Amino acid sequence: MGDIANSSIEFHPKPQQQREAPQPGGFGCTLAELRALMELRGAEALQKVQEAYGSVSGLCRRLKTSPTEGLADNANDLDKRRQIYGQNFIPPKQPKTFLQLVWEALQDVTLIILEVAAIVSLGLSFYAPPGEESEACGNVSGGAEDEGEAEAGWIEGAAILLSVICVVLVTAFNDWSKEKQFRGLQSRIEQEQKFTVIRNGQLLQVPVAALVVGDIAQVKYGDLLPADGVLIQGNDLKIDESSLTGESDHVRKSADKDPMLLSGTHVMEGSGRMVVTAVGVNSQTGIIFTLLGAGGEEEEKKDKKGKQQDGAMDSSQTRAKKQDGAVAMEMQPLKSAEGGETEEREKKKASVPKKEKSVLQGKLTKLAVQIGKAGLVMSAITVIILVLYFVIETFVVDGRVWLAECTPVYVQYFVKFFIIGVTVLVVAVPEGLPLAVTISLAYSVKKMMKDNNLVRHLDACETMGNATAICSDKTGTLTTNRMTVVQSYLGDTYYKEIPAPSALTPKILDLLVHAISINSAYTTKILPPEKEGALPRQVGNKTECALLGFMLDLKRDFQPVREQIPEDKLYKVYTFNSVRKSMSTVIHKPDGGFRLFSKGASEILLKKCTNILNSNGELRSFRPRDRDDMVKKVIEPMACDGLRTICVAYRDFSAGQEPDWDNENEVVGDLTCIAVVGIEDPVRPEVPEAIRKCQRAGITVRMVTGDNINTARAIAAKCGIIQPGEDFLCLEGKEFNRRIRNEKGEIEQERLDKVWPKLRVLARSSPTDKHTLVKGIIDSTTGEQRQVVAVTGDGTNDGPALKKADVGFAMGIAGTDVAKEASDIILTDDNFTSIVKAVMWGRNVYDSISKFLQFQLTVNVVAVIVAFTGACITQDSPLKAVQMLWVNLIMDTFASLALATEPPTESLLLRKPYGRDKPLISRTMMKNILGHAVYQLTIIFTLLFVGELFFDIDSGRNAPLHSPPSEHYTIIFNTFVMMQLFNEINARKIHGEHNVFDGIFSNPIFCTIVLGTFGIQIVIVQFGGKPFSCSPLSTEQWLWCLFVGIGELVWGQVIATIPTSQLKCLKEAGHGPGKAEMTDEELAEGEEEIDHAERELRRGQILWFRGLNRIQTQMEVVSTFKRSGSFQGAVRRRSSVLSQLHDVTNLSTPTHVTLSATKPTSASGNPGGESVP
């Protein structure tokens, strides 16, 4: 947590601090000065730097750092800097304490009703009516002959309270452990984020939190800046500042025009070095977060005031606001970044389609609501029937009059009926559902870590099980991303392997060495191997590493060339981006004039070449005819071997003819080709097998790459994405666009629908093409089911496609920060096989929840019917309130633990994906639920009505109010629990398999829970006594109960042999909500789900902060799920937040969130008019 205290002092400098301000710790700048400096932009910032420090190097001197060597890596100095200027992290919000979670669990409506009923029952049991002896109240008080029994009336109330406490503690503990897991996950994501700094002249990767003011940091394409700084030297640097300013255009940064770099912004092009000037809470982003944090309390005060003035204001909303004040406050100023005023955004918002909530979440919410409603109706009918029956029998049939002294006795009866009603409701509402989902997802996420999947958004895990299509990158995902040059064309000769250095003219060799060493990022290097016999380490851009490796193979070294021409001597650098697909560097020639080196995709660069070097190193002209020749004889053969072709070229400018350097097309033209090299990126050995598994599992794999079509096709064939004799399409980006756009150049869905089903390879594609393809597949309604699409990406340009996909995978090693920021799952080993593992886990989550549903619904159906009919026929439920609560506890909490933690098996990959529209409860499951319910009901009713004859015991029916527990009803309760226990084993299989014990010992949790439940049941029956309404049973009776329980397993086999196809009458249940039947309320309630608020928040925010919202949104979902009664409050709570969070996507740039607190004026844009301090 570090210097929270410190940072607050720094925030409002105290008088004594200001006195000694000029020389804090011997540095030449105070914190306040630097903060003031970072608020300026552009020309005024430059002017300020020049006035105050002379230049950027002057600023470095004041901060006691060297622009080239960086800080001396000495711990005391770094600590001193942290003390004076703060640490680079923003203190996270406090997690909820265990007590707060207990309090939240107590808010559950059904539990509150039970508590009230229990307290009333307690109160009445202590009140002895004066007319106790009078016969007037009839047989009402009969059975209370035994004084001790009358005394024990309080036990039932107390037992109910006790079981409520149990349920609450279990729920709170689950929430708490879940929150803890998220925190752990969060800190792991943070630790993984590293940044390159120069210390002691060495390039080091340090964790973002370890950055200090005065560090010299290397910034490059794809970085998310972790702190504020001033640019020392930059090449063609463009920054996307939309996360802070809302400007969607990229801002050019240069040391002589606009050197200010701000934390939380993305580097979209170029590279450079900056000196860090503000970290943590003092950086621009940190300042905004601090404002947000301060705003939270004021919000609440305002709320309270509003409430006093306006009594009608909805209290649930206020409560929600307070509970959720944190989330609301944090989310508020984050607007979707689309330049223009708030009003315009409001208008646009209305027309944007909502991002659907996770597939499973949608189906579950709907199912839970339906079951809840049914339960409510059943319990209401039960209470009404009981009350009417009692009233009619007592006052009409027996013709008694209501005597004042009998009132408490009657009230006691009514309370008993009411408790029975509530118990029916408790059993009917499946509050274990959200718990099962949570446990299952949390368990999977933890285990997926081991399979190299770092899950950033919980629901991604489950969505992955439904995936029907994967659009994968080629480089690094399907291939090893260890590039090597294997073929080359130099001096008019095509070499199939690396040529001997002596075979090349020195002039060509020398040009090639310079072209490669200088025209590549100086951060790219080949280092000696870490272990003996290992391959040399490739650091930096892999394509550049291949070229540097090629030079080492030619026995030349790049280091001396770079030392001769260091990075700051480079005159101009055009860095690589996805549009130009080339990189160029300009240097001064010793004799005056300039030389430009260029390298890039061969088909693009060769079009700009007018000369080529022949075998003697002389220029000869290179006409379009020669170019076509070369494409046929060199480039196509290379590409057909699956090689990527790179052209290396140069151009000289004489001293007199300096071009306009900003006109890049003119500068990079008229080139002389030095060489064309073929770079191989071998396919990962385990990929073909993984792709086969995907295809067997009904998932189509498509390859989307920037490479040339022949290379792409060759690699796709090696991987098994395309097989000979199949009907498939391999398209280039241009051709793809031509096919899907109409005359006006607009994309038409029906044209896209003709292309994508057969498309397997999309080559030479731009990021926009990738986004178009993904969007087209997701939006398509052709085919029998909607597609669920997963996408992999590593580059900054993959951001939009990763965001659009149902599940976005970012590469953990090769991926840029921007890609990770947009993704749902990070592959820590960059390997396609890990995606297959994710599919397996996702399907497992889905199946675990189906298993749990199958078990839970059987119990629900049986318990509700037994309580209902029992109450109507015998005026008393055979299963008592406390017993029901115990059953509820085992079947909800423990069963969800047992069934949700089944490990996945390979057999999960042998079936087709479920897709978006498949119902949760299949016909096979419905057959199992109803089949087992029939068995259980038959047994229980037999026991209820003829059980006493069979066991030769007293009947427990029609017992008076406080009569002792009967053996009869104990046997019914015990049999019921035994049947549930054995049915739990049946529930392990949901596709009608016969062997339900298959793999049971690989799940120790399951075995423990089943045995544990059995043990506790023995204790309850033998020693539970009055509180549990149980009387001890004999061994013979126990064996009968067990025998009937084991009958469940036999009956399960009988059911499994009945073919489902014969049972046409069975309906499936738990479909995803259809468009037509979604009412407004449900739509609003849908926004409550994780997905929506989550996705909208996933913009250019800083890593530290994001986790907190996630945890809170998760808690919200689960608690709302549980309080299905109080959806309304939840809806209002979230909708106020969501109204500001609608996604307005702009295809050309990734979408971001504006932190509007930077400009006080934007406060008026907040709906509700709360001002942002």
Coordinates of all heavy atoms in Angstrom, one line a residue, residues 85 112 167 377 424 456 482 519 644 684 819 858 888 900 1024 1045 1055 1108 1148 1161:
Y85 N 8.6 12.0 -4.6 CA 7.7 12.1 -5.8 C 6.6 11.1 -5.8 O 5.8 11.1 -6.7 CB 8.5 12.1 -7.1 CG 9.5 13.2 -7.3 CD1 10.8 12.9 -7.3 CD2 9.1 14.5 -7.4 CE1 11.8 13.9 -7.5 CE2 10.0 15.5 -7.6 CZ 11.4 15.2 -7.6 OH 12.3 16.2 -7.8
I112 N -35.4 -12.8 4.9 CA -36.0 -11.8 5.8 C -37.4 -12.3 6.2 O -37.7 -12.3 7.4 CB -36.1 -10.4 5.1 CG1 -34.7 -9.9 4.9 CG2 -36.9 -9.5 5.9 CD1 -34.6 -8.6 4.1
V167 N -27.0 -20.3 6.4 CA -27.0 -20.0 5.0 C -26.3 -18.7 4.7 O -25.5 -18.6 3.8 CB -28.5 -19.9 4.5 CG1 -28.6 -19.4 3.1 CG2 -29.2 -21.2 4.6
V377 N -46.2 -18.6 -6.3 CA -47.6 -19.0 -6.5 C -47.9 -20.2 -5.6 O -48.9 -20.2 -4.9 CB -47.9 -19.3 -8.0 CG1 -49.2 -19.8 -8.2 CG2 -47.7 -18.0 -8.8
V424 N -41.9 -23.6 1.6 CA -42.1 -24.0 0.3 C -41.4 -23.1 -0.7 O -40.7 -23.5 -1.6 CB -43.6 -24.1 -0.1 CG1 -43.8 -24.4 -1.5 CG2 -44.3 -25.2 0.8
R456 N -9.4 -12.6 -17.9 CA -9.6 -11.2 -17.4 C -11.1 -10.9 -17.2 O -11.4 -10.0 -16.4 CB -9.0 -10.2 -18.3 CG -7.5 -10.3 -18.3 CD -6.9 -9.2 -19.2 NE -7.3 -7.9 -18.9 CZ -7.9 -7.1 -19.7 NH1 -8.2 -7.5 -21.0 NH2 -8.3 -5.9 -19.3
R482 N 9.5 -17.6 -34.1 CA 11.0 -17.5 -34.0 C 11.5 -17.5 -35.5 O 11.6 -18.5 -36.1 CB 11.5 -18.7 -33.3 CG 12.8 -18.5 -32.7 CD 13.6 -19.7 -32.3 NE 15.0 -19.3 -32.4 CZ 15.6 -18.5 -31.6 NH1 15.0 -18.0 -30.6 NH2 16.9 -18.1 -31.8
N519 N 18.3 0.2 -40.1 CA 16.9 0.4 -40.3 C 16.1 -0.7 -39.6 O 15.4 -1.5 -40.1 CB 16.6 0.3 -41.8 CG 15.1 0.5 -42.1 OD1 14.5 1.2 -41.4 ND2 14.6 -0.1 -43.2
R644 N 7.8 -15.9 -45.7 CA 7.4 -14.5 -45.8 C 8.5 -13.8 -46.5 O 9.6 -13.9 -46.1 CB 7.2 -14.1 -44.3 CG 6.6 -12.8 -44.2 CD 6.2 -12.7 -42.7 NE 6.0 -11.3 -42.3 CZ 5.9 -11.0 -41.1 NH1 6.0 -11.8 -40.1 NH2 5.6 -9.7 -40.8
R684 N 4.1 -24.4 -35.1 CA 4.4 -25.0 -33.8 C 4.0 -26.5 -33.9 O 2.9 -26.8 -34.5 CB 3.5 -24.4 -32.8 CG 3.9 -23.0 -32.3 CD 2.8 -22.5 -31.4 NE 3.2 -21.1 -30.9 CZ 3.8 -20.9 -29.8 NH1 4.1 -21.9 -29.0 NH2 4.1 -19.7 -29.4
A819 N -3.5 -4.6 -27.1 CA -4.2 -5.8 -27.4 C -4.7 -6.5 -26.1 O -5.8 -6.9 -26.0 CB -3.3 -6.8 -28.1
T858 N -34.8 -31.5 -9.7 CA -35.5 -32.7 -9.2 C -35.9 -32.5 -7.7 O -37.0 -32.7 -7.3 CB -34.5 -33.9 -9.2 OG1 -33.9 -33.9 -10.5 CG2 -35.2 -35.2 -9.0
N888 N -32.3 -27.7 1.7 CA -32.0 -26.6 0.8 C -30.5 -26.3 0.9 O -29.8 -26.0 -0.1 CB -32.8 -25.4 1.3 CG -33.0 -24.4 0.2 OD1 -33.1 -24.8 -1.0 ND2 -32.9 -23.1 0.5
A900 N -20.0 -28.5 -9.4 CA -19.3 -27.4 -10.2 C -17.9 -27.6 -10.3 O -17.2 -26.9 -11.0 CB -19.7 -26.1 -9.6
G1024 N -30.8 -35.1 16.5 CA -31.4 -33.8 16.2 C -32.5 -33.5 17.2 O -32.7 -32.3 17.6
G1045 N -32.8 -45.3 -1.1 CA -31.9 -44.3 -1.7 C -31.1 -45.0 -2.8 O -31.0 -44.4 -3.9
I1055 N -34.1 -45.2 -16.4 CA -34.4 -44.0 -17.2 C -33.4 -43.8 -18.4 O -33.8 -43.4 -19.5 CB -34.3 -42.7 -16.3 CG1 -35.4 -42.8 -15.2 CG2 -34.5 -41.4 -17.1 CD1 -35.4 -41.6 -14.3
L1108 N -11.1 -3.4 -9.8 CA -12.1 -3.1 -8.7 C -13.5 -3.1 -9.3 O -14.4 -3.6 -8.7 CB -11.8 -1.7 -8.1 CG -10.3 -1.6 -7.8 CD1 -10.0 -0.2 -7.2 CD2 -10.0 -2.7 -6.7
S1148 N -12.6 3.0 -37.4 CA -11.2 3.2 -37.7 C -10.4 3.2 -36.5 O -9.2 2.9 -36.5 CB -11.0 4.5 -38.5 OG -11.5 5.5 -37.7
T1161 N -15.9 21.9 -17.1 CA -17.2 22.2 -17.8 C -18.0 20.9 -18.0 O -19.2 21.0 -18.1 CB -16.8 22.7 -19.2 OG1 -15.9 21.9 -19.8 CG2 -16.2 24.1 -19.1

